[in-house]
């Protein structure tokens, strides 16, 4: 999907939300986007592997992953031009422009070959983006379709806070709605269904009493 074909309403919404927030995003989100570093530690990128992040935002995760896996190449997709401006600046600042390619696109429907020059990736991950994407189920399907044989999809996002007090859940949900974020109650079911459909192995864990959910789908070689 080209930039001109992006769903205008959602792209404009995200640009509006993050036009100013992108400057303080990483500083503020580190306190409640929990589990991101665990995901990065567990993706276990092969030597010379390729990694795609869907909803890469400011590029924070790609920077950390690129440091951890210095022989891998990284790709990032985001619908917000504002976020990508910050991400591109981060890659330049960290000296990663030769190893990282960023593109603007819709995570629910994208042409990886056209955007990045490669159609398949060894690892794809989505960190706290599915809870913001309309039609997020399509993102999971698109991510799985872009995996190379033996590749894996990794997801971390808000859970249902099932082990936390009701007052905390209500407070968190109210706060998240201000940023157009909605924890996906059916996330585990959809991931498990997709893994069964593709004959993949599925791993799912709850973190911090259900505050966050961490999942991985590994397809066959």
């Amino acid at each position: 999907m080209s930039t001109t074909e992006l769903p205008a309403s959602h792209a404009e919404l995200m640009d509006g939300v993050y036009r100013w927030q992108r400057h303080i995003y990483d500083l503020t989100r580190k306190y409640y986007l929990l589990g991101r570093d665990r995901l990065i530690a567990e993706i276990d990128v092969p030597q010379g592997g390729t990694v795609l992040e869907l909803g890469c935002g400011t590029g924070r995760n790609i920077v950390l992953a690129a440091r951890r896996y210095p022989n891998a190449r990284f790709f990032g997709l985001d619908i917000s031009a504002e976020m990508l401006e910050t991400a591109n600046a981060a890659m330049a600042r960290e000296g990663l422009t030769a190893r990282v390619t960023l593109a603007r696109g819709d995570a629910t429907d994208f042409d990886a070959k056209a955007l990045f020059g490669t159609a398949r990736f060894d690892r794809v991950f989505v960190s706290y983006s599915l809870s913001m994407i309309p039609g997020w189920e399509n993102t999971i399907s698109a991510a799985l379709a872009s995996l190379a044989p033996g590749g894996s999809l990794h997801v971390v996002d808000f859970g249902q806070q099932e082990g936390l007090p009701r007052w905390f859940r209500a407070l968190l949900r109210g706060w998240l709605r201000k940023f157009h974020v909605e924890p996906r109650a059916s996330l585990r079911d959809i991931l498990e269904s997709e893994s069964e459909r593709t004959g993949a192995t599925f791993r799912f864990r709850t973190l911090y009493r259900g505050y966050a959910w961490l999942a991985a789908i590994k397809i066959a070689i």
Side-chain angles (χ1 to χ4, degrees):
M1 176 175 286
S2 69
T3 302
T4 56
E5 294 171 325
L6 292 173
S9 58
H10 188 57
E12 291 170 1
L13 175 63
M14 291 299 97
D15 278 343
V17 168
Y18 292 118
R19 181 163 290 115
W20 303 112
Q21 286 215 22
R22 63 190 174 92
H23 300 292
I24 60 170
Y25 185 92
D26 292 333
L27 177 64
T28 58
R29 267 55 175 187
K30 70 179 182 179
Y31 298 108
Y32 66 90
L33 298 187
L34 307 178
R36 295 180 296 171
D37 293 349
R38 184 177 299 193
L39 179 151
I40 291 169
E42 293 180 358
I43 59 176
D44 192 25
V45 184
Q47 287 288 318
T50 53
V51 184
L52 169 64
E53 181 180 12
L54 298 176
C56 64
T58 63
R60 178 263 188 196
N61 295 327
I62 290 179
V63 167
L64 293 182
R67 291 174 182 166
R68 189 178 184 94
Y69 306 102
N71 296 309
R73 291 186 60 211
F74 290 85
F75 304 84
L77 180 76
D78 205 279
I79 202 168
S80 170
E82 296 288 342
M83 283 298 225
L84 286 172
E85 182 178 338
T86 295
N88 276 305
M91 300 310 144
R93 186 171 59 249
E94 296 290 334
L96 292 171
T97 53
R99 294 175 52 209
V100 177
T101 303
L102 304 177
R104 191 176 183 214
D106 179 5
T108 68
D109 181 17
F110 59 92
D111 184 340
K113 183 68 174 178
L115 291 170
F116 302 116
T118 183
R120 296 288 182 267
F121 305 88
D122 297 300
R123 302 289 184 267
V124 177
F125 70 94
V126 193
S127 171
Y128 285 95
S129 293
L130 295 178
S131 51
M132 299 188 70
I133 298 174
W136 60 274
E137 300 92 340
N138 294 327
T139 298
I140 295 171
S141 298
L144 289 172
S146 66
L147 286 174
S152 55
L153 166 64
H154 301 260
V155 174
V156 66
D157 214 313
F158 291 105
Q160 293 297 294
Q161 300 84 48
E162 54 270 28
L164 294 167
R166 183 175 300 177
W167 65 264
F168 181 87
R169 296 199 301 269
L171 187 65
L172 178 64
R173 297 299 181 91
W175 171 255
L176 294 178
R177 280 193 292 271
K178 295 178 183 294
F179 303 100
H180 308 280
V181 176
E182 180 64 36
R184 307 305 188 186
S186 60
L187 177 59
R188 179 174 186 169
D189 292 339
I190 295 296
L191 289 171
E192 190 167 20
S193 175
E194 284 294 287
S195 67
E196 291 174 355
R197 180 184 66 81
T198 56
T201 59
F202 177 60
R203 183 175 64 173
F204 182 91
R205 284 168 291 165
T206 61
L207 306 178
Y208 316 111
R209 298 170 64 185
Y211 180 91
W213 287 348
L214 182 65
I217 297 176
K218 182 175 178 60
I219 65 173
I221 296 176

